[in-house]
Amino acid sequence: MTTELAGAPIDVRNVSRWYGDVVAVNDISFSVGPGITGLLGPNGAGKSTLLHMISGFLRPSAGTVEVHGEAPWRNPSLFRRVGLVPEREAVYSFLGARGLARASACLHGLADPDEAAARAVSLVELEDAQDRPMGGYSKGMRQRAKIAAALVHDPEVLILDEPFNGTDPRQRLQLMEMLRRRAAEGRTILFSSHILEEVERLAENVLVIVNGRLAASGHFHQIRRLMTDRPHAFELRSSDNRALAAALVGLPHVSAIQLHDGRLDVRTSDFGAFTAQIARTARDCSVTLHELRPADESLESVFSYLVGS
């Protein structure tokens, strides 16, 4: 599945990247326009490799990557229009956030690196700790310092690899609001995450990567509907599993039931209907529910369904 936008700031065409016999990214095509796009996938899916090719740090083994019509590989002049926040820790422990942002501003040849650094640190609300050495920062603070350094030259394209790692809820909300403001000003923001809720809260459009392939792309709510409407599995424990199984057999959305030692496994085609009805069904047959939990709610299981859909 591909998403194509004529004249999009980021354009990826039939791109693959392999390391010896290991294929990290396999024949992926998509375009990313202004606004916020989430790159969603389990750990090891190929998200970081893909972002590094878009950022110019890796050369595609096959296919083409263009950012604003230019190939990013060995094209340092393009970095004036692109900001990158890598997942890997890439900070100097003896510098503060302002020092890191100022160093980035100098590398970009900005006319007033002090003013640019102050503005970038303010964007991530790190002024109170800006001169403390980053060796004493929390992981969330280091993340914000990295984002400030990437924003210092006001890039048109911002690429973030797992940007919310280590941030607390307040920091995460503040960073999301800052990114929304930049997107509203016409910037192109592409960020990766393996956490579904982060993508849901921030991105309108999503790219789903599984095992190096593009499993789904488009508007987030369309993709989310596929995730919700897929078959679901539940594990239940109750005071009488056999009686509960007999009652559940008659429900139209229950497709399979298995009894195990002390446990009841149920598959349903309608997540909402099942969770709304299970308590009432148990009560009607005088059974006490001790435990009810989804058995297949990992991102890997969701993506496996998308790959096969």
Side-chain angles (χ1 to χ4, degrees), residues 228-229 232 234 248 251-254 268-281 292:
T228 303
D229 292 347
H232 291 263
F234 288 87
L248 291 174
L251 299 181
H253 47 76
V254 171
T268 174
S269 59
D270 191 326
F271 183 97
F274 180 79
T275 54
Q277 194 166 1
I278 180 62
R280 183 168 60 251
T281 301
L292 168 67

Side-chain angles (χ1 to χ4, degrees), residues 125-251:
E125 296 186 358
L126 208 51
E127 298 98 316
D128 290 347
Q130 63 183 350
D131 293 319
R132 282 170 43 198
M134 282 184 287
Y137 281 15
S138 67
K139 183 172 179 60
M141 293 170 70
R142 291 195 299 273
Q143 286 292 97
R144 287 189 284 161
K146 288 158 56 180
I147 293 172
L151 292 174
V152 74
H153 59 302
D154 194 22
E156 300 167 49
V157 174
L158 183 61
I159 299 169
L160 308 103
D161 195 356
E162 301 283 357
F164 306 115
N165 277 355
T167 58
D168 62 35
R170 188 197 66 81
Q171 294 168 348
R172 193 173 297 116
L173 288 174
Q174 185 272 322
L175 289 174
M176 286 183 175
E177 181 56 34
M178 182 270 293
L179 293 173
R180 289 189 190 100
R181 290 197 303 269
R182 298 188 68 78
E185 294 168 356
R187 272 78 167 194
T188 299
I189 298 172
L190 176 62
F191 79 99
S192 76
S193 178
H194 63 282
I195 300 175
L196 186 64
E197 289 75 17
E198 287 182 354
V199 178
E200 184 171 15
R201 295 174 73 173
L202 187 57
E204 289 188 358
N205 295 302
V206 65
L207 304 163
V208 182
I209 305 294
V210 188
N211 296 326
R213 289 184 175 273
L214 186 63
S217 64
H219 193 279
F220 179 82
H221 294 297
Q222 295 173 332
I223 305 302
R224 189 69 175 92
R225 194 171 301 118
L226 282 175
M227 296 176 179
T228 303
D229 292 347
R230 80 190 200 285
H232 291 263
F234 288 87
E235 292 181 1
L236 298 88
R237 288 176 172 81
S238 73
S239 59
D240 190 337
N241 288 340
R242 289 189 178 276
L244 183 57
L248 291 174
V249 165
L251 299 181

